[in-house]
Amino acid sequence: MLSAFPSLTVSLPDWMSEVCRPGASFATADERMALVIELARTNVARQTGGPFGAAVFDIETGEVIAPGVNLVVSAHAALAHAEMLAIAVAGRALESFDLGVRATELVSSTEPCAMCLGAIPWSGVRRLVCGARDEDARRIGFDEGDKPADWISLLRTRGIEVVRDVFRSEATAVLEGYARAGGPIYNSRGEE
């Protein structure tokens, strides 16, 4: 029996600033997606987490405000998805829970799962850019949760632009490589 509840501290991996220099600018959606795919790829190669990367950028300047990678297994925390960490770190960087204090976008190597989808409107980002699709993650066994079929139009109704399929094949290759290497496919109820 626990005598006290454990605290939770989730830190980005030590290698993060090697791949993503704080304050660096990425002018285009392609450059931004290339960065988050490299974050996902490096996370797998360094064995620090799952095959997902994300980052929050200033839309106007292209400055990276905060990166994130999937740390679910290593942090023993189901909420440690790349998007959730990028949003949380961006809030710290901007000293606001509302990322709308600047024109921001969330770039994710894979479309958001149900949890991350729920966080996006609350975060204040104005644009979501995705690489791999939901079905690409599901195909290798990840449980993406129950999402409305019209999730894109629901975000657009809230004023959030959605851009899909940016370097989809490259982002999907990271997912497939992770599965081939035997990376843990967590939260996959279909395997029980």
Side-chain angles (χ1 to χ4, degrees):
M1 180 177 265
L2 292 175
S3 61
F5 293 109
S7 62
L8 175 65
T9 302
V10 179
S11 299
L12 296 175
D14 293 339
W15 55 260
M16 185 65 69
S17 60
E18 296 170 26
V19 176
C20 181
R21 196 179 87 249
S25 290
F26 300 84
T28 67
D30 286 356
E31 290 175 2
R32 296 169 194 175
M33 183 57 70
L35 172 67
V36 300
I37 291 171
E38 184 56 31
L39 291 172
R41 187 180 293 118
T42 303
N43 202 36
V44 171
R46 300 267 185 116
Q47 299 182 334
T48 48
F52 303 96
V56 174
F57 295 88
D58 183 296
I59 290 174
E60 296 168 7
T61 66
E63 175 191 358
V64 62
I65 297 168
V69 291
N70 182 284
L71 300 175
V72 169
V73 174
S74 61
H76 307 289
L79 59 76
H81 288 204
E83 299 94 332
M84 301 295 281
L85 295 182
I87 289 168
V89 173
R92 283 301 204 52
L94 297 177
E95 297 181 339
S96 177
F97 64 88
D98 181 3
L99 305 185
V101 297
R102 284 171 65 176
T104 56
E105 74 177 353
L106 175 64
V107 179
S108 181
S109 63
T110 303
E111 290 177 346
C113 70
M115 175 179 64
C116 296
L117 176 63
I120 288 169
W122 295 108
S123 73
V125 299
R126 298 184 189 166
R127 184 179 334 167
L128 170 65
V129 180
C130 306
R133 288 201 178 189
D134 180 89
E135 57 261 30
D136 301 326
R138 289 181 192 273
R139 188 171 43 254
I140 66 166
F142 280 103
D143 180 355
E144 296 297 282
D146 299 325
K147 292 171 31 178
D150 61 344
W151 66 271
I152 294 170
S153 63
L154 292 172
L155 287 181
R156 288 180 176 151
T157 298
R158 296 185 83 135
I160 301 167
E161 180 185 356
V162 178
V163 179
R164 299 170 83 190
D165 299 333
V166 177
F167 292 152
R168 180 180 179 187
S169 61
E170 292 86 342
T172 301
V174 175
L175 296 170
E176 292 169 346
Y178 178 79
R180 275 192 311 276
I185 308 293
Y186 48 85
N187 221 14
S188 179
R189 301 294 179 234
E191 306 251 334
E192 292 181 355

